[in-house]
């Protein structure tokens, strides 16, 4: 199973504020849905809370330190390691880490691929994505987009693959 990470990040590394997305980019939401549908998605409890429900046509694996935390239709575990083990039981192709910040930080050394939406704007926020070490990651694909009637900020879809030396 390939383990991937999917995230949208502002120029100043901000990914959220008060457990919410800051920007609205419909094409980013479509990209997220297109890539993750039919796969396992791994997230922390706060990320699940911000989404509010299990996403359709995906297996949600939620990490929580609370042993009593259970959501119907989701798998709950107590660690990233156990989340990956559960995903491997279900997923043959690709599982996705979808947040939040602490789960991203812990998973960055473990993932094979990063699907990154670069939002070309800086935002105020309380949640940031860690710096991506360019010596470890190689850009394999990029699509750049300008603003339009539905997208207030320019953005890029970037795919990064881990370099194996």
């Amino acid at each position: 199973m390939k383990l991937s990470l999917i995230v949208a990040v502002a120029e100043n590394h901000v990914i959220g504020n008060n457990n919410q997305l800051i920007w609205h980019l419909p094409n980013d939401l479509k990209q997220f849905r297109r890539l993750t549908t039919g796969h396992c998605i791994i997230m922390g409890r706060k990320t699940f809370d911000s989404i509010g429900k299990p996403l359709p046509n995906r297996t949600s694996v939620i990490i929580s330190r609370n042993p009593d935390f259970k959501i119907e239709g989701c798998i709950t575990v107590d660690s990233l390691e156990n989340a990956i083990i559960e995903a491997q039981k279900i997923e043959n192709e690709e599982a996705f880490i979808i947040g939040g910040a602490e789960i991203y930080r812990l998973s960055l050394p473990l993932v094979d691929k990063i699907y990154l939406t670069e939002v070309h704007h800086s935002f105020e926020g309380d949640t940031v994505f860690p710096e991506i070490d360019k010596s470890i990651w190689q850009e394999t694909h990029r699509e750049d987009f300008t603003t339009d009637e539905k997208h207030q900020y320019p953005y890029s879809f970037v795919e990064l693959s881990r370099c194996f030396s």
Side-chain angles (χ1 to χ4, degrees):
M1 175 191 79
K2 179 165 61 170
L3 186 61
S4 298
L5 183 152
I6 188 165
V7 64
V9 181
E11 287 176 347
N12 58 343
H13 300 279
V14 168
I15 59 173
N17 194 35
N18 293 322
N19 208 29
Q20 297 297 315
L21 292 175
I22 302 169
W23 50 80
H24 180 69
L25 297 171
N27 285 347
D28 180 49
L29 298 173
K30 287 177 189 170
Q31 167 94 333
F32 178 88
R33 183 173 48 243
R34 182 181 66 78
L35 289 169
T36 62
T37 294
H39 297 284
C40 281
I41 52 175
I42 297 170
M43 70 196 91
R45 190 220 15 104
K46 290 180 191 173
T47 297
F48 178 81
D49 288 347
S50 73
I51 296 169
K53 63 182 181 191
L55 293 174
N57 304 313
R58 283 157 272 210
T59 302
S60 295
V61 181
I62 305 166
I63 303 166
S64 174
R65 291 184 191 103
N66 178 352
D68 297 326
F69 182 80
K70 303 283 185 245
I71 298 292
E72 186 176 331
C74 298
I75 298 167
T76 56
V77 296
D78 61 356
S79 69
L80 176 61
E81 294 75 19
N82 286 334
I84 293 168
I85 289 167
E86 289 300 318
Q88 288 172 329
K89 291 177 184 176
I90 300 161
E91 183 65 55
N92 292 326
E93 295 175 32
E94 186 173 20
F96 291 86
I97 305 290
I98 68 164
E102 180 66 8
I103 304 302
Y104 284 141
R105 186 185 68 73
L106 292 170
S107 66
L108 208 49
L110 306 174
V111 299
D112 306 298
K113 188 167 190 168
I114 299 173
Y115 295 92
L116 172 67
T117 300
E118 294 176 343
V119 182
H120 302 295
H121 190 82
S122 290
F123 295 87
E124 291 293 320
D126 59 10
T127 310
V128 296
F129 190 79
E131 186 77 31
I132 294 173
D133 184 344
K134 300 294 186 186
S135 70
I136 297 174
W137 296 96
Q138 176 181 9
E139 186 174 311
T140 57
H141 181 79
R142 174 179 288 271
E143 286 181 83
D144 298 315
F145 301 90
T146 58
T147 59
D148 61 29
E149 63 279 351
K150 292 184 178 180
H151 298 85
Q152 183 177 357
Y153 308 102
Y155 61 98
S156 300
F157 291 149
V158 181
E159 292 180 17
L160 303 168
S161 293
R162 184 177 293 281
C163 298
F164 295 99
S165 33

